[in-house]
Amino acid sequence: MDQELKKPGKADRTRAAILAAAQQLFAGQGYELTTVRDIAAIADIDPAMVIRYFGSKDELFARAAVFNLKLPDLSKAERSEIGETLVRHFLSLWEGENANGAMPILLRSAASNKTAANKLREIFMGQVLPALTHAGGRSGAAERAGLVSSQLLGLALCRYVLKLPPVVGLSQDMIIREVGRTIQRYATGEQ
Amino acid sequence: MDQELKKPGKADRTRAAILAAAQQLFAGQGYELTTVRDIAAIADIDPAMVIRYFGSKDELFARAAVFNLKLPDLSKAERSEIGETLVRHFLSLWEGENANGAMPILLRSAASNKTAANKLREIFMGQVLPALTHAGGRSGAAERAGLVSSQLLGLALCRYVLKLPPVVGLSQDMIIREVGRTIQRYATGEQ
DNA sequence: GTCTATAATTCGATAGAC
DNA sequence: GTCTATCGAATTATAGAC
């Protein structure tokens, strides 16, 4: 009894090692090419333990790809800075100190994995769209959210998944300035 | 003798059926999830024939994903219409009459297939970058090509692969107008 | 040219000893 | 909790009969 309280025992370390290995491989080569055996090899444990701890490869993926955009409250932001604010937020989320790599994981796997694709749809429909609803603009919120998503996801795709050299080489400042202007126009309909 | 001359014999029809089935499946579910058996089933032939005609799954993929952007000569276009011209061109290429689905094939597979990822890099580095070199602008051509690619590939990703409802729902006119303005600014550095 | 049969792997997942 | 051993299914690719 009192088992689930503290004690970072060996079980917890094993579990954490599995999760870390899974995130590394899912992010690097997507869901289909990542095998339970590979994950176990990197975590330096037996393949059977992966299933024992997470039930199945699918459940492990769901745990590894947990992702919350935690979008800032745009209604409080200076209206003219909505674009840069959003881009700054995403860059920090993707490559800041606390980045967990969940976005590359989802993006790389969403191309051929329905679970990942649905999750990405949920995230952008459930978080980006509501955030833009109160940002105003001449046209519908759905259209604006679609345009914003196409630019932000395209940036992530080229920079983290495809690794197009010119996009990888873009400085954060340049991205915030240039892409920020685009997002500003899409989000507010101004300019 | 004289075998490779004309006569759209049964062999040619079989070959075409295999290629069509492969494009359909590669575009719909990516490289990894598409099996030689599935392709053969749709083409209504024996799985062994797929290998016989194309050598391997990899070679078949390379044939199915042949893609040329055939970019218009931007130096001849009205400078203020470069953005809309480019967006129109890509939309026509992706969903016009002669669209062959190669872009969704590459995009969906590039996430986890190195062959596809390299091909996409080649296409955008080898065709988009040179096209923008002569389009001028204040900053480097590589940076501009990177920004352009991020928006165009993001649009294709959201519309054809992820099928985000708000992006799927965008009219061609709206895309040409809104995304066109973005591409115009990225390509020329103006506005 | 076409298909049957199968080789050779590789996968996720399980059973059970320790 | 951990690992050995293995199952059953699915994969690409090949060999050879017709």
Side-chain angles (χ1 to χ4, degrees):
Chain A
M1 320 79 185
D2 278 27
Q3 42 188 16
E4 290 284 352
L5 278 183
K6 26 190 157 181
K7 215 171 52 166
K10 194 171 185 180
D12 294 323
R13 280 185 290 116
T14 300
R15 193 182 174 82
I18 294 173
L19 199 59
Q23 287 176 330
Q24 173 186 334
L25 287 178
F26 283 141
Q29 52 186 11
Y31 180 86
E32 325 293 340
L33 288 183
T34 298
T35 70
V36 170
R37 284 168 164 78
D38 290 340
I39 295 171
I42 291 189
D44 200 35
I45 48 104
D46 190 272
M49 305 307 298
V50 176
I51 303 297
R52 178 171 179 85
Y53 274 85
F54 290 90
S56 72
K57 183 184 174 183
D58 268 316
E59 294 178 54
L60 173 56
F61 178 82
R63 290 301 193 94
V66 168
F67 198 45
N68 191 322
L69 295 182
K70 288 170 282 188
L71 290 180
D73 186 353
L74 292 180
S75 65
K76 289 178 182 173
E78 189 68 40
R79 179 167 185 81
S80 64
E81 292 175 354
I82 284 182
E84 285 201 3
T85 301
L86 270 178
V87 175
R88 267 183 216 278
H89 180 78
F90 276 93
L91 273 183
S92 150
L93 207 59
W94 293 341
E95 47 198 72
E97 288 185 8
N98 296 338
N100 63 353
M103 191 61 195
I105 291 178
L106 278 178
L107 212 46
R108 198 179 282 272
S109 299
S112 59
N113 184 277
K114 289 192 173 182
T115 304
N118 282 332
K119 198 162 230 170
L120 253 184
R121 259 191 295 271
E122 282 175 20
I123 287 173
F124 273 82
M125 299 296 291
Q127 300 186 45
V128 174
L129 202 149
L132 290 188
T133 303
H134 304 294
R138 60 174 183 278
S139 56
E143 285 174 329
R144 286 182 281 118
L147 290 168
V148 168
S149 300
S150 77
Q151 173 63 92
L152 289 177
L153 287 179
L155 175 64
L157 176 79
C158 294
R159 194 166 167 97
Y160 311 123
V161 176
L162 300 180
K163 298 189 197 301
L164 289 184
V167 182
V168 173
L170 289 174
S171 70
Q172 291 206 4
D173 284 346
M174 176 109 182
I175 292 175
I176 291 169
R177 191 183 341 122
E178 294 294 328
V179 178
R181 278 185 68 177
T182 299
I183 302 298
Q184 174 76 22
R185 184 165 54 79
Y186 288 162
T188 65
E190 296 168 355
Q191 192 183 142
Chain B
M1 322 75 187
D2 277 26
Q3 41 187 16
E4 290 283 352
L5 278 183
K6 22 190 160 181
K7 214 172 45 166
K10 196 169 186 180
D12 294 325
R13 281 185 288 118
T14 299
R15 193 180 174 86
I18 294 173
L19 198 60
Q23 287 176 329
Q24 172 186 334
L25 287 178
F26 283 141
Q29 52 186 9
Y31 180 86
E32 325 293 342
L33 289 183
T34 298
T35 70
V36 171
R37 283 168 165 75
D38 291 340
I39 294 171
I42 290 190
D44 199 36
I45 48 103
D46 190 273
M49 304 308 297
V50 175
I51 303 299
R52 178 172 178 86
Y53 275 83
F54 290 90
S56 72
K57 185 184 173 182
D58 268 318
E59 294 179 56
L60 173 56
F61 179 81
R63 290 303 191 91
V66 169
F67 197 48
N68 191 321
L69 294 182
K70 288 170 283 188
L71 289 179
D73 186 353
L74 292 180
S75 66
K76 290 178 180 174
E78 189 69 39
R79 181 170 182 78
S80 64
E81 293 175 355
I82 286 182
E84 286 202 3
T85 301
L86 269 178
V87 175
R88 267 182 215 279
H89 180 78
F90 276 93
L91 274 182
S92 149
L93 208 58
W94 293 341
E95 48 197 70
E97 286 185 11
N98 296 339
N100 63 352
M103 192 61 196
I105 291 178
L106 279 178
L107 211 46
R108 197 179 283 272
S109 298
S112 58
N113 184 278
K114 289 191 173 182
T115 304
N118 282 333
K119 198 160 232 174
L120 252 184
R121 259 190 295 271
E122 282 175 19
I123 287 173
F124 272 81
M125 299 296 291
Q127 300 186 46
V128 174
L129 202 150
L132 290 188
T133 303
H134 304 294
R138 61 174 184 278
S139 57
E143 286 174 328
R144 286 182 281 118
L147 289 168
V148 167
S149 300
S150 77
Q151 173 63 90
L152 289 177
L153 287 178
L155 175 65
L157 176 78
C158 293
R159 193 168 168 95
Y160 310 122
V161 177
L162 300 181
K163 297 189 197 300
L164 287 184
V167 182
V168 174
L170 289 173
S171 70
Q172 292 205 4
D173 283 347
M174 176 111 182
I175 292 175
I176 291 170
R177 191 182 341 123
E178 296 293 327
V179 178
R181 279 186 64 178
T182 300
I183 302 299
Q184 175 75 20
R185 182 164 54 80
Y186 288 161
T188 66
E190 297 168 355
Q191 191 182 142

